[in-house]
Amino acid sequence: MTNFLQWLSTLPTLAQIPIIIGVFCAVVILLLFLIELAPRRGRRFTIIRAVACVLFPLLMLAILDSYTWAIVAAGFLGLLLFWLDYRSRHGAGYVFALVGFLSPALLLLAAGLVIPTIQTTVQSFMNSRGTEFVGLENFIWIFTQPAGIRTVLNTVLWVLIAPAVSTIAGMAYAVFIDKSRGEKFFKILVFMPMAISFVGASIIWRFVYTARPADSEQIGLLNQVIVWAGGEPVQFLQESPWNTVALIAVLIWVQTGFAMVILSAAIKAVPLEQLEAAELDGANGWQRFANVTLPGIRSSLVVVLTTISIASLKVFDIVRTMTAGANDTSVIANEMYTQFRNFEAGRSAAFAVILFLMVMPIVIYNARQIKMQREMR
């Protein structure tokens, strides 16, 4: 394997790309071939499976240069193929196909989510160097320091304001422009911020909030309007707690387009017959919306609220770009990064665990709602 990589590095860049793609395709084709082969009966297919059990350990030996791993790979593959071949007699290879296709995703899920979650949880009970168990000391530090309490409260404030305002604004916009002339154009205008990254949106709004001395020319849009109205420039990003609200406005600006698109599609899916029946019964516009449209889009509302809530909990880019957490604007994700940069790995992990615990109820609620919808169908 090392020799192959060394040989590959000597080739031009344009030549390396097709070789890597070719090797990847060959591996995928081989896996698909074995998956297709699993439920087939006969001596020929048995021999092919036996050859695969030999070639796979040899390949592991060539890649890892370890007899131990080669033996483990041979035993694992042999038992796996034997068990799956036995099960395939009753399910036409379903088990083999299921395991074959889900195994890469499960391995990536374990490597990218499950294992890091366990490691982070363990690290949250260790000291800054990860060499000594300190129990709940890191969590106690967070909830006894004014800065730590402010960070948690700011995060809660984000979750309370951003999802509600974004959803209400998106729903109102979707209702008012529904079936209107120029509907597509109006939707594009609101959805455009979704095409901008959080960092890009933060830079834009940082210029909007910029304040200069009263005797200088203002470059910030809001302060220029205030000066035109006869007022004094305002330091939007320095005055607490309004600076946090100013940051939340950026997320609302970005997420309103998302809420509008989802809810607009849900509103169009509400049966027209129900609205007409409500109108014939004498219901006014608000009553038709509250009693017909709103129950019809409930599932979409749940999706929008939970999605924006999770985005609010893990917000990092906006705070880091605009204030870096200064002037009491830090949130959990930003403080987690700050503590890690200060070589406080234990405190950083504790913030990560708190964030995880705050996200879990929303995820569980969303999963239960989806399960209930499936049962109703």
Side-chain angles (χ1 to χ4, degrees):
M1 186 65 179
T2 303
N3 294 333
F4 172 75
L5 294 176
Q6 291 177 349
W7 170 78
L8 188 64
S9 64
T10 60
L11 299 178
T13 305
L14 294 178
Q16 295 178 14
I17 296 175
I19 294 176
I20 295 174
I21 295 176
V23 173
F24 175 78
C25 291
V27 173
V28 172
I29 291 172
L30 179 61
L31 289 175
L32 293 177
F33 172 74
L34 292 176
I35 292 172
E36 176 67 22
L37 190 68
R40 298 179 181 272
R41 302 179 181 179
R43 179 179 299 177
R44 181 177 55 156
F45 301 115
T46 303
I47 294 174
I48 295 176
R49 286 193 290 267
V51 171
C53 292
V54 175
L55 291 181
F56 183 77
L58 292 178
L59 182 62
M60 293 292 295
L61 179 61
I63 295 176
L64 301 176
D65 194 20
S66 171
Y67 287 99
T68 302
W69 282 108
I71 295 172
V72 171
F76 174 78
L77 184 63
L79 292 174
L80 180 64
L81 289 177
F82 174 79
W83 178 71
L84 294 176
D85 185 59
Y86 174 77
R87 293 295 301 271
S88 66
R89 299 176 186 175
H90 305 284
Y94 172 76
V95 177
F96 191 97
L98 183 65
V99 173
F101 281 110
L102 288 183
S103 293
L106 293 176
L107 290 175
L108 291 175
L109 186 65
L113 183 62
V114 177
I115 295 176
T117 300
I118 297 174
Q119 291 176 338
T120 302
T121 304
V122 173
Q123 184 66 46
S124 66
F125 298 102
M126 309 295 287
N127 62 358
S128 59
R129 296 183 178 180
T131 57
E132 181 182 351
F133 180 78
V134 295
L136 298 175
E137 184 177 321
N138 293 318
F139 297 94
I140 294 173
W141 179 86
I142 292 174
F143 290 102
T144 54
Q145 297 294 319
I149 297 175
R150 170 59 63 182
T151 298
V152 177
L153 290 178
N154 283 343
T155 305
V156 173
L157 192 64
W158 277 78
V159 178
L160 292 177
I161 296 178
V165 177
S166 298
T167 303
I168 293 174
M171 181 168 56
Y173 197 86
V175 171
F176 288 129
I177 69 171
D178 185 40
K179 298 179 182 178
S180 64
R181 182 179 299 179
E183 177 183 356
K184 295 181 180 179
F185 175 74
F186 295 141
K187 285 184 177 180
I188 290 173
L189 289 179
V190 178
F191 191 75
M192 280 180 64
M194 282 292 295
I196 305 174
S197 66
F198 282 155
V199 174
S202 302
I203 294 173
I204 293 172
W205 279 86
R206 188 171 182 177
F207 280 113
V208 172
Y209 291 142
T210 298
R212 285 187 172 183
D215 56 349
S216 302
E217 183 181 358
Q218 300 298 319
I219 63 173
L221 176 62
L222 289 181
N223 279 300
Q224 183 61 67
V225 173
I226 293 174
V227 170
W228 283 340
E232 295 291 328
V234 179
Q235 298 288 346
F236 289 100
L237 299 180
Q238 296 182 14
E239 298 181 4
S240 179
W242 301 109
N243 48 8
T244 299
V245 177
L247 298 182
I248 295 174
V250 181
L251 183 64
I252 293 173
W253 180 66
V254 175
Q255 294 293 337
T256 297
F258 165 75
M260 181 270 299
V261 170
I262 301 298
L263 296 178
S264 178
I267 289 172
K268 291 183 180 299
V270 175
L272 186 61
E273 295 80 6
Q274 296 181 6
L275 294 172
E276 292 176 348
E279 186 176 2
L280 292 174
D281 290 339
N284 56 32
W286 170 252
Q287 291 173 334
R288 291 197 300 271
F289 173 76
N291 298 313
V292 180
T293 303
L294 202 58
I297 64 173
R298 182 179 180 277
S299 59
S300 298
L301 277 173
V302 171
V303 172
V304 171
L305 282 171
T306 53
T307 302
I308 301 178
S309 297
I310 294 174
S312 303
L313 279 172
K314 64 180 185 179
V315 66
F316 169 79
D317 314 61
I318 296 174
V319 176
R320 196 70 194 178
T321 303
M322 298 185 70
T323 63
N327 301 313
D328 296 331
T329 58
S330 187
V331 291
I332 290 179
N334 178 73
E335 196 63 26
M336 179 176 63
Y337 174 76
T338 301
Q339 293 297 328
F340 185 78
R341 288 195 62 185
N342 293 337
F343 302 101
E344 293 288 348
R347 294 175 182 176
S348 175
F351 275 111
V353 171
I354 294 173
L355 183 60
F356 177 78
L357 294 177
M358 294 176 70
V359 170
M360 282 306 297
I362 301 176
V363 175
I364 293 173
Y365 174 76
N366 200 10
R368 292 184 62 182
Q369 292 298 315
I370 294 174
K371 181 180 179 180
M372 290 174 58
Q373 293 172 17
R374 289 180 178 176
E375 291 176 351
M376 291 175 60
R377 294 174 184 175

